[in-house]
Amino acid sequence: MLTFEQKLEVIEAFPELTRKEVSMKRVNFQFEESLYDKKNVVYHLHPNGNGFVFVGDLPQYEADNRGLVNIRDFSASQLRSIIADSIDYLGQEPEPPYDKRWTNREGEKLDLVYEEPFWNIYTGKNLEESFGTFDDAEDYLLDQGFSERK
């Protein structure tokens, strides 16, 4: 486990982050160029080494319901990586909503809609299936003889 000072050294290597002192000797680091209301990348870093990094809904991390990952036991390389991912996440425009019509040879139509966090397939207004990933939803549609309408 890195000490507080070692974590500060890693975090302060990111010039795009601004240090903000908070209560009980904790420190936040904010990304002022964030495209979202959320600006904290590092949240409540404490002298005991505990702290959090915001990752939102990035799939490679197991975040709590606020989008935070505890970094208490992170190595320097893990800490650099998660901070870089957080900055990238906060600095990118969100993808436009996915809502595409799929058809089969008989002219039947299904709509594939991304409704966070699920990929839902609708027949008209009725939910037919729901999947955790786009690939699973696409595989289902292709197996059922549907193709994306261009």
Side-chain angles (χ1 to χ4, degrees):
M1 179 174 92
L2 298 173
T3 65
F4 177 71
E5 290 76 18
Q6 290 168 321
K7 286 180 181 168
L8 282 177
E9 187 176 322
V10 170
I11 297 164
E12 289 173 343
F14 288 88
E16 54 269 74
L17 297 180
T18 305
R19 181 178 176 147
K20 303 284 183 182
E21 303 290 332
V22 291
S23 63
M24 300 189 304
K25 300 182 184 177
R26 294 176 296 184
V27 182
N28 289 346
F29 285 85
Q30 296 182 341
F31 178 51
E32 299 297 338
E33 302 301 316
S34 176
L35 298 176
Y36 303 88
D37 290 339
K38 185 71 157 167
K39 293 192 183 312
N40 281 335
V41 170
V42 178
Y43 178 72
H44 284 180
L45 181 64
H46 191 276
N48 70 8
N50 202 24
F52 302 89
V53 170
F54 177 77
V55 295
D57 58 2
L58 289 174
Q60 66 266 40
Y61 297 104
E62 290 186 33
D64 66 15
N65 61 352
R66 299 175 296 163
L68 298 172
V69 173
N70 190 299
I71 57 168
R72 181 179 190 83
D73 297 322
F74 274 39
S75 68
S77 64
Q78 289 172 313
L79 184 56
R80 274 190 290 278
S81 180
I82 195 170
I83 290 170
D85 288 344
S86 178
I87 291 169
D88 287 346
Y89 179 83
L90 292 171
Q92 290 180 6
E93 290 285 341
E95 290 185 23
Y98 184 96
D99 185 353
K100 297 275 170 94
R101 173 139 306 161
W102 291 61
T103 58
N104 65 10
R105 290 179 188 233
E106 291 78 39
E108 297 172 315
K109 297 174 176 71
L110 294 177
D111 294 314
L112 176 57
V113 180
Y114 181 66
E115 298 172 309
E116 191 176 341
F118 299 106
W119 291 89
N120 296 322
I121 297 174
Y122 289 93
T123 305
K125 292 184 180 185
N126 297 320
L127 178 65
E128 182 170 312
E129 293 287 339
S130 188
F131 297 91
T133 67
F134 172 80
D135 290 340
D136 288 343
E138 181 182 46
D139 288 345
Y140 171 83
L141 287 164
L142 294 172
D143 287 347
Q144 299 297 314
F146 286 81
S147 61
E148 188 175 348
R149 192 168 134 193
K150 304 291 182 201

